[in-house]
Amino acid sequence: MSVSRVFFLSLLCLPLPALAQEWPQFRGPGGQGLSQVQAAPLTWSEDSANIAWKVPIAGLGWSSPVVADGRIWLTTASEDGASLRLISLDLETGRELQNVEVLHLETVGRIHNKNSHASPTPVLEDDRVYVHFGNYGTACLTTAGEPVWRTKIDYPHVHGPGGSPVVYQDVLIIICDGSSEPFVTGLDKRTGEELWRTARPENDGKKFAFSTPLLIEVDGVPQAVCPGAGGVSSYNPLTGEELWRVDYPGGYSVTPRPAYGSGLVFVSSGFNRPVLYAIRPTGRGNVSETHVAWTTDRGAPHSPSPLVVDDALYLVSDRGVAVCLDAKTGEQVWQERVGGNYSASPLLAAGRIYALSEEGVTTVFAAGKEYKELAVNTLPGRTLATPAPIEGALLLRTDTHLYRINQ
């Protein structure tokens, strides 16, 4: 089954028999951190026997690993940030198969200390790999490592590249929320030419944000939900037409990818103090006063994305507070301090929730109406990238290595 077919089926919530070995974009098929694997590792350490392999990744990149057709893909930047590269590894052995320079920079911009020059996650579809490095450049390569096209989208990204692209039909959608004149764009995935560009609504505060679009379908209509500074907008992914918008005045530097479940879209408003918005995605125009079902600032994250499992919404704050809410009402089910600092997004695998801290500690807890800690696992190194589950294993990236952890 092709990656594009898997992604399409995931949007329709149909059974996905091939999904267990496919993780083609940030947060996996459907983009919401929900894995169909039946088995996943529970406990591990640096010296445990279930570390199938550990391979060094040169340079620094915080893109999450993506997987298709027995290969792992991720991006990295050289130590000086000038060489932006795409790497593929054999899924079974960790052996490096390709290491391709996508872009070489004459001038390297400044980045935040929690960022890298290679933070956006690649997108895999059939025999194509799409990579985005903010305003440094965007490219499409074949899975054989051959360039198909390269382009440069000019926008003043702040703190370096952040949000990842997403593919809908023939459109590669990218949020370009820089320090001024923010916009969302759709590129022809076959050529890199711009098909549409939609300016963000006026915002009196800071303009920049780093989120990733979420593709959903509501009443048969596709939507690309794109959080930004000052508000979240949903667009027609083929034309860029704004369908609806909800304002959250003052919010900026929005990083979490939205989530969708129980008929609601969940968006965190970013800095300075995040508020979690639950939005009915059925309106048209500015629906700030009519389609916000509920809000909360309890446990709302600056960086990790929300996770919806059945009718439960799980949040992990940057400061290590995990919260479970009733997704329909916002009522708190439980709250627990798990400790540490968090940038990676939580994920569901084999019925468990995995939350990886920046300090290399993965807390595994049960999805349910009571907090039940199942394991706490530690690896050395800094960890800001979101792990990728496959059947029976977890791929986890640190600042120096990529691990395959088996059950």
Side-chain angles (χ1 to χ4, degrees), residues 8-56:
F8 178 73
L9 290 177
S10 71
L11 290 178
L12 298 181
C13 301
L14 297 178
L16 300 172
L19 181 59
Q21 295 300 102
E22 308 283 0
W23 199 254
Q25 61 165 320
F26 178 56
R27 305 202 80 202
Q32 301 203 69
L34 301 173
S35 171
Q36 298 291 321
V37 301
Q38 299 301 304
L42 179 59
T43 60
W44 63 85
S45 66
E46 177 72 1
D47 300 321
S48 61
N50 58 342
I51 302 292
W53 48 255
K54 168 189 175 183
V55 296

Side-chain angles (χ1 to χ4, degrees), residues 193-248:
E193 295 181 2
E194 188 170 82
L195 297 174
W196 55 262
R197 175 181 295 208
T198 304
R200 295 294 211 173
E202 287 297 320
N203 168 27
D204 293 333
K206 295 181 179 180
K207 314 290 186 186
F208 63 91
F210 306 96
S211 192
T212 298
L214 180 71
L215 294 171
I216 65 174
E217 187 174 293
V218 180
D219 298 329
V221 178
Q223 300 186 21
V225 181
C226 299
V232 54
S233 293
S234 180
Y235 303 97
N236 180 323
L238 295 177
T239 67
E241 174 196 6
E242 185 181 78
L243 302 176
W244 57 261
R245 174 177 174 79
V246 167
D247 297 322
Y248 36 77

Side-chain angles (χ1 to χ4, degrees), residues 126-139:
D126 300 325
D127 64 345
R128 295 290 188 264
V129 186
Y130 301 93
V131 291
H132 176 61
F133 297 95
N135 68 12
Y136 302 139
T138 305

Side-chain angles (χ1 to χ4, degrees), residues 242-275:
E242 185 181 78
L243 302 176
W244 57 261
R245 174 177 174 79
V246 167
D247 297 322
Y248 36 77
Y252 70 97
S253 195
V254 182
T255 300
R257 191 175 194 179
Y260 178 51
S262 301
L264 298 169
V265 170
F266 302 97
V267 177
S268 190
S269 66
F271 287 78
N272 287 313
R273 182 169 183 171
V275 175

Side-chain angles (χ1 to χ4, degrees), residues 26 60-64 75-78 80-85 103 105 107-122 131-139 151-165 174-179 208-212 253-255 303 343 384-385 397:
F26 178 56
L60 179 64
W62 289 126
S63 62
S64 300
T75 56
T76 191
S78 58
D80 62 2
S83 181
L84 304 179
R85 311 188 71 85
L103 299 166
L105 307 180
T107 302
V108 178
R110 298 176 62 183
I111 56 172
H112 193 276
N113 61 12
K114 284 179 62 173
N115 203 2
S116 72
H117 295 288
S119 292
T121 296
V131 291
H132 176 61
F133 297 95
N135 68 12
Y136 302 139
T138 305
T151 192
K152 189 177 189 299
I153 307 170
D154 288 321
Y155 68 103
H157 65 203
V158 179
H159 303 319
S164 305
I174 304 170
I175 297 175
C176 303
D177 288 337
S179 59
F208 63 91
F210 306 96
S211 192
T212 298
S253 195
V254 182
T255 300
S303 302
S343 288
L384 277 73
R397 183 179 192 174

Side-chain angles (χ1 to χ4, degrees), residues 125 130 165-174 185-190 193 195-196 215 236-240:
E125 186 184 54
Y130 301 93
V166 65
V167 171
Y168 179 79
Q169 295 186 12
D170 289 334
V171 186
L172 183 73
I173 304 168
I174 304 170
T185 187
L187 307 183
D188 188 323
K189 73 176 185 182
R190 299 162 296 187
E193 295 181 2
L195 297 174
W196 55 262
L215 294 171
N236 180 323
L238 295 177
T239 67

Side-chain angles (χ1 to χ4, degrees), residues 90-405:
D90 182 84
L91 179 60
E92 296 301 319
T93 66
R95 180 173 63 90
E96 185 177 282
L97 301 175
Q98 292 162 319
N99 191 326
V100 179
E101 183 176 70
V102 180
L103 299 166
H104 191 88
L105 307 180
E106 297 299 325
T107 302
V108 178
R110 298 176 62 183
I111 56 172
H112 193 276
N113 61 12
K114 284 179 62 173
N115 203 2
S116 72
H117 295 288
S119 292
T121 296
V123 177
L124 305 176
E125 186 184 54
D126 300 325
D127 64 345
R128 295 290 188 264
V129 186
Y130 301 93
V131 291
H132 176 61
F133 297 95
N135 68 12
Y136 302 139
T138 305
C140 173
L141 296 88
T142 69
T143 50
E146 297 298 323
V148 178
W149 53 259
R150 292 186 182 91
T151 192
K152 189 177 189 299
I153 307 170
D154 288 321
Y155 68 103
H157 65 203
V158 179
H159 303 319
S164 305
V166 65
V167 171
Y168 179 79
Q169 295 186 12
D170 289 334
V171 186
L172 183 73
I173 304 168
I174 304 170
I175 297 175
C176 303
D177 288 337
S179 59
S180 62
E181 300 180 347
F183 60 93
V184 180
T185 187
L187 307 183
D188 188 323
K189 73 176 185 182
R190 299 162 296 187
T191 65
E193 295 181 2
E194 188 170 82
L195 297 174
W196 55 262
R197 175 181 295 208
T198 304
R200 295 294 211 173
E202 287 297 320
N203 168 27
D204 293 333
K206 295 181 179 180
K207 314 290 186 186
F208 63 91
F210 306 96
S211 192
T212 298
L214 180 71
L215 294 171
I216 65 174
E217 187 174 293
V218 180
D219 298 329
V221 178
Q223 300 186 21
V225 181
C226 299
V232 54
S233 293
S234 180
Y235 303 97
N236 180 323
L238 295 177
T239 67
E241 174 196 6
E242 185 181 78
L243 302 176
W244 57 261
R245 174 177 174 79
V246 167
D247 297 322
Y248 36 77
Y252 70 97
S253 195
V254 182
T255 300
R257 191 175 194 179
Y260 178 51
S262 301
L264 298 169
V265 170
F266 302 97
V267 177
S268 190
S269 66
F271 287 78
N272 287 313
R273 182 169 183 171
V275 175
L276 196 287
Y277 285 74
I279 302 165
R280 293 185 293 272
T282 54
R284 289 294 182 268
N286 191 323
V287 296
S288 303
E289 301 299 324
T290 58
H291 281 65
V292 176
W294 55 264
T295 66
T296 184
D297 60 3
R298 179 165 292 184
H302 291 90
S303 302
S305 306
L307 180 71
V308 185
V309 182
D310 298 324
D311 284 329
L313 175 67
Y314 298 90
L315 306 173
V316 179
S317 76
D318 294 50
R319 295 184 178 181
V321 176
V323 178
C324 176
L325 305 174
D326 183 303
K328 294 182 178 180
T329 67
E331 180 181 353
Q332 181 174 301
V333 179
W334 55 255
Q335 176 178 310
E336 189 76 21
R337 178 168 291 280
V338 293
N341 300 286
Y342 289 77
S343 288
S345 297
L347 60 91
L348 179 78
R352 311 178 190 120
I353 296 174
Y354 292 71
L356 173 64
S357 77
E358 295 176 8
E359 296 79 21
V361 179
T362 303
T363 301
V364 187
F365 57 91
K369 294 185 178 180
E370 296 182 359
Y371 179 78
K372 183 179 180 181
E373 184 180 283
L374 303 176
V376 177
N377 308 294
T378 303
L379 292 175
R382 196 175 184 215
T383 43
L384 277 73
T386 298
I390 56 170
E391 187 60 53
L394 190 69
L395 302 172
L396 190 152
R397 183 179 192 174
T398 73
D399 54 350
T400 57
H401 290 79
L402 181 68
Y403 291 77
R404 174 171 173 154
I405 306 165

